[in-house]
Amino acid sequence: MLDRLPFLVGLRYVRAKRRNHFISFISLTSMLGLMLGVAVLILVLSVMNGFDHELRTRILGMVPHAKIESRVGMVEWESLAEELMQRERVIGAAPFVEQQGMFSVGGHNQGAMVNGINPAWEDRVSIIGEHMSQGALADLVPGEWNVVLGSMLARSLGVGVGDRVTLLVPEASITPAGVFPRLKRFTVSGIFSVGADLDANLAYANIEDMQTLARLGDAIGGLRLQLDDLFAASSETQAILNELGPEYRGSDWTFSHGNLFQAIQMEKRMIALLLTVIIAVAAFNIVSTLVMVVTDKRADIAILRTIGATPRSIMGIFIVQGLAIGSIGIAIGVAVGVLLALTIADLIGWVEGTLGIQFLDAGVYFISDLPSRLQWDDVSRIVLAAFGLTFLSTLYPAWRAAKVQPADVLRYE
């Protein structure tokens, strides 16, 4: 019976109505603090995981993991592409010609990066084909001067499929009449939307049309590579350049979007640390609760000691009580946090539709909707951290209870 004493008495103290309502209030506050801390930490980490996942799948699905370019022009690119495809980490390669320019139509001007691509090869290195809202990449036929625009770019220009746009490139054409900027009329054959900032500054055209516009002849700008591990892009790119020689240069996704990825990782760690402090504050409120309970239950402790309860059993009573209070708060927090993490996107969408506002503007942020990705590993770590802090908060009050001397207490009873 004495072996079960800590659990029986500890749980009874949790259920019992206390004469001191202030103790009940502190206990409830501790429970609510743990619940809110755990729920908010699960929700925030799920949102940060969502941002991380969107960056990897959307943004890094559109931009190349690595690019290999030649300083003297790349003509025999098919053989080089096949050679690079033999490497263990390279899972895709496709040719490209990049041209920075400005689209103009009806007095509207918008700068953009135009990628000249081979539609038959592009799905090896990009997810653009999966995000075509109108038209298809197959419409980029050589010689027809078609172009595929991002949805935000098309909206800012006020054009749709079938409209004509003029592309001005920052190179001059020398004619008998003088020097004129180089420009070309394109027909909008498609529109893509990935829900990111790329929708506002990216366009696609056929690689042969872009070769003609850039006056490259049969040469291409370089090869875009898709790797099996995007975090190996820097080392793999350097290894390729070491093998190819000094006439080649390369870059990887960390040059264009590495800072964004690092910022997300840093923010995730800092937010987790700050919210863990909130959980710690709520957990250590249990110290106050148990200290007051120990003071209130000194007579009970003395009686238990006189009938054979050991100091260890007395410690166990208050450890069980503190862990029970914390476990209830943690359990409710996990339930609320998981529910919010699974429904936050729909909830935010409903609020945006009801109030007519947009929380995330793709022109400012790199996505236009709030992502959430629940990872049970994060939930497990949060629960263990909260439970550990709760356990630590019970040790001092339990130790004080074990130090109560029956003779000193019962002398005045």
Side-chain angles (χ1 to χ4, degrees):
M1 180 66 180
L2 290 177
D3 292 338
R4 299 171 56 191
L5 182 68
F7 293 96
L8 295 175
V9 179
L11 294 177
R12 180 180 178 183
Y13 280 174
V14 174
R15 299 192 304 269
K17 294 182 179 180
R18 299 186 178 91
R19 296 185 300 272
N20 190 333
H21 295 291
F22 184 68
I23 297 177
S24 299
F25 174 75
I26 296 297
S27 177
L28 180 61
T29 302
S30 304
M31 194 181 299
L32 291 177
L34 281 170
M35 181 197 74
L36 291 175
V38 169
V40 171
L41 186 52
I42 291 174
L43 174 61
V44 170
L45 289 185
S46 297
V47 171
M48 298 304 294
N49 290 334
F51 274 101
D52 179 83
H53 180 261
E54 292 299 316
L55 174 64
R56 296 193 192 193
T57 55
R58 289 195 191 184
I59 308 300
L60 298 183
M62 294 288 291
V63 303
H65 289 176
K67 293 192 297 186
I68 303 298
E69 301 172 274
S70 175
R71 302 179 188 274
V72 295
M74 190 180 296
V75 178
E76 301 295 332
W77 61 268
E78 292 95 339
S79 58
L80 179 59
E82 293 299 327
E83 178 184 341
L84 294 178
M85 284 288 293
Q86 300 303 314
R87 300 182 64 88
E88 181 179 357
R89 290 202 173 277
V90 178
I91 59 176
F96 74 92
V97 172
E98 281 186 345
Q99 180 67 66
Q100 188 74 39
M102 182 174 67
F103 285 102
S104 178
V105 57
H108 298 284
N109 301 308
Q110 183 68 40
M113 177 66 73
V114 184
N115 280 342
I117 62 171
N118 186 326
W121 288 61
E122 189 63 15
D123 60 350
R124 303 183 183 185
V125 298
S126 173
I127 61 172
I128 176 63
E130 303 171 10
H131 293 273
M132 294 293 298
S133 57
Q134 298 181 52
L137 289 183
D139 296 331
L140 299 178
V141 179
E144 294 192 3
W145 298 96
N146 290 332
V147 66
V148 172
L149 303 179
S151 58
M152 295 181 63
L153 177 59
R155 191 180 307 120
S156 64
L157 294 173
V159 298
V161 173
D163 293 333
R164 303 290 298 274
V165 295
T166 301
L167 175 64
L168 291 83
V169 298
E171 296 180 11
S173 297
I174 301 176
T175 68
V179 179
F180 294 94
R182 190 177 305 171
L183 52 86
K184 183 63 182 179
R185 295 274 284 178
F186 283 84
T187 301
V188 178
S189 63
I191 295 176
F192 70 86
S193 176
V194 293
D197 59 347
L198 297 176
D199 292 343
N201 52 39
L202 189 61
Y204 290 90
N206 188 274
I207 190 171
E208 295 185 22
D209 293 340
M210 296 306 297
Q211 285 174 313
T212 302
L213 184 62
R215 298 179 180 177
L216 294 177
D218 294 331
I220 64 171
L223 290 173
R224 304 168 65 192
L225 304 180
Q226 184 82 358
L227 307 179
D228 62 348
D229 181 6
L230 62 90
F231 294 107
S234 296
S235 58
E236 185 68 14
T237 301
Q238 190 58 50
I240 292 173
L241 294 178
N242 291 338
E243 292 183 8
L244 294 180
E247 66 272 16
Y248 290 90
R249 63 178 182 269
S251 62
D252 59 83
W253 67 271
T254 60
F255 286 88
S256 57
H257 292 84
N259 291 338
L260 180 59
F261 181 81
Q262 293 173 2
I264 291 176
Q265 295 299 309
M266 179 61 70
E267 289 174 2
K268 180 179 177 180
R269 296 189 188 100
M270 294 305 298
I271 290 175
L273 177 61
L274 293 175
L275 293 178
T276 301
V277 172
I278 296 176
I279 294 177
V281 171
F284 282 105
N285 279 341
I286 296 176
V287 176
S288 303
T289 302
L290 294 183
V291 166
M292 287 186 286
V293 171
V294 169
T295 303
D296 189 53
K297 300 293 185 181
R298 285 171 60 86
D300 294 358
I301 295 171
I303 294 172
L304 289 172
R305 289 293 308 276
T306 60
I307 64 175
T310 63
R312 182 175 180 180
S313 297
I314 299 300
M315 284 190 66
I317 290 172
F318 293 96
I319 290 176
V320 168
Q321 182 183 359
L323 290 179
I325 295 172
S327 297
I328 294 172
I330 293 170
I332 297 175
V334 168
V336 174
V338 169
L339 179 62
L340 288 175
L342 295 176
T343 60
I344 188 64
D346 295 334
L347 181 61
I348 293 297
W350 177 80
V351 172
E352 289 180 337
T354 302
L355 301 180
I357 61 176
Q358 185 174 12
F359 290 104
L360 295 178
D361 184 356
V364 179
Y365 306 95
F366 70 90
I367 60 175
S368 58
D369 54 354
L370 186 67
S372 178
R373 188 175 179 84
L374 180 66
Q375 294 186 356
W376 290 107
D377 288 344
D378 287 340
V379 176
S380 300
R381 285 192 289 267
I382 292 169
V383 170
L384 290 176
F387 196 81
L389 291 171
T390 302
F391 174 75
L392 291 177
S393 69
T394 65
L395 295 181
Y396 173 70
W399 176 80
R400 282 195 57 177
K403 292 297 182 181
V404 171
Q405 297 300 322
D408 295 338
V409 175
L410 297 179
R411 180 184 307 168
Y412 304 103
E413 291 294 329

